[in-house]
Amino acid sequence: MGQVTEADAAVGVRFLPASTRPEDVKKAQAIFPGGNFEIWEPGPAGIKEKTPLWTYPINIVTSTSLPDSVAEVLLEAWWNNLAEIQKLHSAFARMQKPEMFVLEQISIPYHEGAVKFFKKKGAWSPKMDTIQQRLLKGEYPFLD
């Protein structure tokens, strides 16, 4: 973020490492579903050494009224152009392959068009069917 970069240049900023103990991860996920602690390498402003930080995916939200075909066309474009998308936002830069669009630790259900697309690409597993059904009921399966 620009503000962190400016503050780091002006006075120095250092992100503090978070606890990655399983019980702490579970507590954090109860407050902010869908996130997880990831180890960030030094480089971004405020990250001076390998540091576990709370990280969460970019969720692209739409209406259930969006036609499945539109969702599939959008995902096809993102899937095939990940290298270009990575240049647009630092969060995408951490995505090494398009299969990472499908997350088991997610807090909102996938659009039906997205499910169809990911199944065609072989990125959707039977476990994701179970996760999707629970999310549609308002449950957070990763908190079990």
Side-chain angles (χ1 to χ4, degrees), residues 32-53:
F32 196 124
N36 205 349
F37 292 107
E38 291 185 21
I39 306 299
W40 284 67
E41 296 290 333
I47 302 177
K48 312 300 184 198
E49 59 190 44
K50 287 185 177 185
T51 306
L53 296 175

mmCIF file of all heavy atoms in Angstrom, residues 32-53:
data_model
loop_
_atom_site.group_PDB
_atom_site.id
_atom_site.type_symbol
_atom_site.label_atom_id
_atom_site.label_comp_id
_atom_site.label_asym_id
_atom_site.label_seq_id
_atom_site.Cartn_x
_atom_site.Cartn_y
_atom_site.Cartn_z
ATOM 1 N N PHE A 32 -12.000 -13.456 10.951
ATOM 2 C CA PHE A 32 -11.891 -13.069 9.543
ATOM 3 C C PHE A 32 -11.850 -14.334 8.702
ATOM 4 O O PHE A 32 -10.782 -14.814 8.326
ATOM 5 C CB PHE A 32 -10.635 -12.240 9.318
ATOM 6 C CG PHE A 32 -10.634 -11.497 8.018
ATOM 7 C CD1 PHE A 32 -10.475 -10.133 7.995
ATOM 8 C CD2 PHE A 32 -10.787 -12.145 6.800
ATOM 9 C CE1 PHE A 32 -10.455 -9.427 6.808
ATOM 10 C CE2 PHE A 32 -10.777 -11.466 5.607
ATOM 11 C CZ PHE A 32 -10.602 -10.104 5.606
ATOM 12 N N PRO A 33 -13.020 -14.911 8.402
ATOM 13 C CA PRO A 33 -13.070 -16.158 7.640
ATOM 14 C C PRO A 33 -12.409 -16.022 6.268
ATOM 15 O O PRO A 33 -12.519 -14.993 5.614
ATOM 16 C CB PRO A 33 -14.565 -16.428 7.483
ATOM 17 C CG PRO A 33 -15.213 -15.647 8.564
ATOM 18 C CD PRO A 33 -14.342 -14.439 8.771
ATOM 19 N N GLY A 34 -11.706 -17.068 5.872
ATOM 20 C CA GLY A 34 -11.110 -17.117 4.551
ATOM 21 C C GLY A 34 -9.645 -16.738 4.515
ATOM 22 O O GLY A 34 -8.965 -16.973 3.529
ATOM 23 N N GLY A 35 -9.145 -16.151 5.590
ATOM 24 C CA GLY A 35 -7.743 -15.761 5.616
ATOM 25 C C GLY A 35 -6.871 -16.852 6.204
ATOM 26 O O GLY A 35 -7.355 -17.861 6.706
ATOM 27 N N ASN A 36 -5.569 -16.613 6.135
ATOM 28 C CA ASN A 36 -4.607 -17.548 6.701
ATOM 29 C C ASN A 36 -3.294 -16.795 6.889
ATOM 30 O O ASN A 36 -3.106 -15.726 6.323
ATOM 31 C CB ASN A 36 -4.403 -18.741 5.777
ATOM 32 C CG ASN A 36 -3.938 -19.972 6.529
ATOM 33 O OD1 ASN A 36 -3.570 -19.908 7.698
ATOM 34 N ND2 ASN A 36 -3.954 -21.103 5.856
ATOM 35 N N PHE A 37 -2.404 -17.341 7.667
ATOM 36 C CA PHE A 37 -1.087 -16.743 7.837
ATOM 37 C C PHE A 37 -0.150 -17.325 6.789
ATOM 38 O O PHE A 37 -0.060 -18.538 6.648
ATOM 39 C CB PHE A 37 -0.543 -17.005 9.244
ATOM 40 C CG PHE A 37 -1.309 -16.276 10.305
ATOM 41 C CD1 PHE A 37 -2.167 -16.946 11.146
ATOM 42 C CD2 PHE A 37 -1.181 -14.905 10.449
ATOM 43 C CE1 PHE A 37 -2.884 -16.273 12.125
ATOM 44 C CE2 PHE A 37 -1.887 -14.220 11.423
ATOM 45 C CZ PHE A 37 -2.739 -14.908 12.262
ATOM 46 N N GLU A 38 0.512 -16.459 6.059
ATOM 47 C CA GLU A 38 1.503 -16.881 5.078
ATOM 48 C C GLU A 38 2.816 -16.199 5.400
ATOM 49 O O GLU A 38 2.839 -15.085 5.911
ATOM 50 C CB GLU A 38 1.068 -16.495 3.668
ATOM 51 C CG GLU A 38 -0.127 -17.266 3.168
ATOM 52 C CD GLU A 38 -0.471 -16.942 1.725
ATOM 53 O OE1 GLU A 38 0.401 -16.447 0.986
ATOM 54 O OE2 GLU A 38 -1.625 -17.167 1.357
ATOM 55 N N ILE A 39 3.897 -16.863 5.049
ATOM 56 C CA ILE A 39 5.224 -16.294 5.260
ATOM 57 C C ILE A 39 5.526 -15.371 4.074
ATOM 58 O O ILE A 39 5.533 -15.805 2.929
ATOM 59 C CB ILE A 39 6.309 -17.393 5.363
ATOM 60 C CG1 ILE A 39 5.949 -18.423 6.436
ATOM 61 C CG2 ILE A 39 7.673 -16.757 5.600
ATOM 62 C CD1 ILE A 39 5.820 -17.871 7.842
ATOM 63 N N TRP A 40 5.769 -14.101 4.388
ATOM 64 C CA TRP A 40 6.121 -13.118 3.366
ATOM 65 C C TRP A 40 7.633 -12.933 3.367
ATOM 66 O O TRP A 40 8.252 -12.820 4.419
ATOM 67 C CB TRP A 40 5.435 -11.786 3.653
ATOM 68 C CG TRP A 40 3.978 -11.802 3.311
ATOM 69 C CD1 TRP A 40 2.995 -12.519 3.919
ATOM 70 C CD2 TRP A 40 3.347 -11.080 2.264
ATOM 71 N NE1 TRP A 40 1.793 -12.283 3.317
ATOM 72 C CE2 TRP A 40 1.977 -11.398 2.300
ATOM 73 C CE3 TRP A 40 3.814 -10.187 1.306
ATOM 74 C CZ2 TRP A 40 1.070 -10.862 1.405
ATOM 75 C CZ3 TRP A 40 2.891 -9.638 0.414
ATOM 76 C CH2 TRP A 40 1.538 -9.991 0.463
ATOM 77 N N GLU A 41 8.208 -12.913 2.189
ATOM 78 C CA GLU A 41 9.639 -12.700 2.031
ATOM 79 C C GLU A 41 9.949 -11.211 2.154
ATOM 80 O O GLU A 41 9.107 -10.362 1.841
ATOM 81 C CB GLU A 41 10.094 -13.200 0.654
ATOM 82 C CG GLU A 41 9.924 -14.698 0.451
ATOM 83 C CD GLU A 41 10.881 -15.532 1.276
ATOM 84 O OE1 GLU A 41 11.976 -15.045 1.605
ATOM 85 O OE2 GLU A 41 10.529 -16.690 1.599
ATOM 86 N N PRO A 42 11.168 -10.860 2.579
ATOM 87 C CA PRO A 42 11.554 -9.453 2.649
ATOM 88 C C PRO A 42 11.442 -8.797 1.275
ATOM 89 O O PRO A 42 11.619 -9.446 0.254
ATOM 90 C CB PRO A 42 13.020 -9.511 3.086
ATOM 91 C CG PRO A 42 13.217 -10.852 3.669
ATOM 92 C CD PRO A 42 12.228 -11.763 3.008
ATOM 93 N N GLY A 43 11.143 -7.539 1.283
ATOM 94 C CA GLY A 43 11.044 -6.798 0.013
ATOM 95 C C GLY A 43 9.981 -5.727 0.069
ATOM 96 O O GLY A 43 10.285 -4.544 -0.054
ATOM 97 N N PRO A 44 8.717 -6.103 0.269
ATOM 98 C CA PRO A 44 7.687 -5.062 0.373
ATOM 99 C C PRO A 44 7.934 -4.167 1.584
ATOM 100 O O PRO A 44 8.561 -4.594 2.566
ATOM 101 C CB PRO A 44 6.388 -5.857 0.544
ATOM 102 C CG PRO A 44 6.683 -7.215 -0.003
ATOM 103 C CD PRO A 44 8.146 -7.443 0.290
ATOM 104 N N ALA A 45 7.460 -2.958 1.505
ATOM 105 C CA ALA A 45 7.641 -2.002 2.606
ATOM 106 C C ALA A 45 7.174 -2.624 3.913
ATOM 107 O O ALA A 45 6.095 -3.209 3.985
ATOM 108 C CB ALA A 45 6.866 -0.725 2.315
ATOM 109 N N GLY A 46 8.017 -2.509 4.946
ATOM 110 C CA GLY A 46 7.668 -3.000 6.267
ATOM 111 C C GLY A 46 8.019 -4.447 6.520
ATOM 112 O O GLY A 46 7.895 -4.934 7.642
ATOM 113 N N ILE A 47 8.455 -5.164 5.503
ATOM 114 C CA ILE A 47 8.807 -6.573 5.674
ATOM 115 C C ILE A 47 10.317 -6.680 5.532
ATOM 116 O O ILE A 47 10.862 -6.670 4.439
ATOM 117 C CB ILE A 47 8.054 -7.478 4.685
ATOM 118 C CG1 ILE A 47 6.548 -7.285 4.865
ATOM 119 C CG2 ILE A 47 8.459 -8.936 4.899
ATOM 120 C CD1 ILE A 47 5.691 -8.053 3.912
ATOM 121 N N LYS A 48 10.984 -6.754 6.681
ATOM 122 C CA LYS A 48 12.451 -6.729 6.729
ATOM 123 C C LYS A 48 13.066 -8.125 6.748
ATOM 124 O O LYS A 48 14.237 -8.297 6.450
ATOM 125 C CB LYS A 48 12.934 -5.963 7.966
ATOM 126 C CG LYS A 48 12.279 -4.618 8.190
ATOM 127 C CD LYS A 48 12.506 -3.666 7.041
ATOM 128 C CE LYS A 48 11.910 -2.307 7.382
ATOM 129 N NZ LYS A 48 11.701 -1.471 6.243
ATOM 130 N N GLU A 49 12.281 -9.113 7.164
ATOM 131 C CA GLU A 49 12.726 -10.504 7.222
ATOM 132 C C GLU A 49 11.512 -11.380 6.964
ATOM 133 O O GLU A 49 10.379 -10.889 6.918
ATOM 134 C CB GLU A 49 13.332 -10.807 8.587
ATOM 135 C CG GLU A 49 12.374 -10.577 9.734
ATOM 136 C CD GLU A 49 13.043 -10.651 11.100
ATOM 137 O OE1 GLU A 49 14.135 -10.095 11.265
ATOM 138 O OE2 GLU A 49 12.445 -11.274 11.984
ATOM 139 N N LYS A 50 11.727 -12.678 6.776
ATOM 140 C CA LYS A 50 10.585 -13.573 6.574
ATOM 141 C C LYS A 50 9.617 -13.366 7.731
ATOM 142 O O LYS A 50 10.004 -13.473 8.899
ATOM 143 C CB LYS A 50 11.030 -15.030 6.516
ATOM 144 C CG LYS A 50 11.736 -15.394 5.246
ATOM 145 C CD LYS A 50 12.034 -16.883 5.218
ATOM 146 C CE LYS A 50 12.683 -17.256 3.899
ATOM 147 N NZ LYS A 50 12.876 -18.698 3.783
ATOM 148 N N THR A 51 8.363 -13.053 7.387
ATOM 149 C CA THR A 51 7.395 -12.671 8.408
ATOM 150 C C THR A 51 6.038 -13.308 8.125
ATOM 151 O O THR A 51 5.485 -13.124 7.038
ATOM 152 C CB THR A 51 7.221 -11.129 8.433
ATOM 153 O OG1 THR A 51 8.508 -10.523 8.577
ATOM 154 C CG2 THR A 51 6.312 -10.688 9.552
ATOM 155 N N PRO A 52 5.462 -14.045 9.101
ATOM 156 C CA PRO A 52 4.098 -14.550 8.907
ATOM 157 C C PRO A 52 3.099 -13.402 9.074
ATOM 158 O O PRO A 52 3.092 -12.718 10.096
ATOM 159 C CB PRO A 52 3.935 -15.603 10.003
ATOM 160 C CG PRO A 52 5.031 -15.368 10.981
ATOM 161 C CD PRO A 52 6.069 -14.527 10.328
ATOM 162 N N LEU A 53 2.298 -13.194 8.046
ATOM 163 C CA LEU A 53 1.289 -12.131 8.048
ATOM 164 C C LEU A 53 -0.070 -12.699 7.667
ATOM 165 O O LEU A 53 -0.164 -13.649 6.893
ATOM 166 C CB LEU A 53 1.652 -11.025 7.050
ATOM 167 C CG LEU A 53 2.923 -10.235 7.312
ATOM 168 C CD1 LEU A 53 3.177 -9.269 6.158
ATOM 169 C CD2 LEU A 53 2.840 -9.486 8.626
#
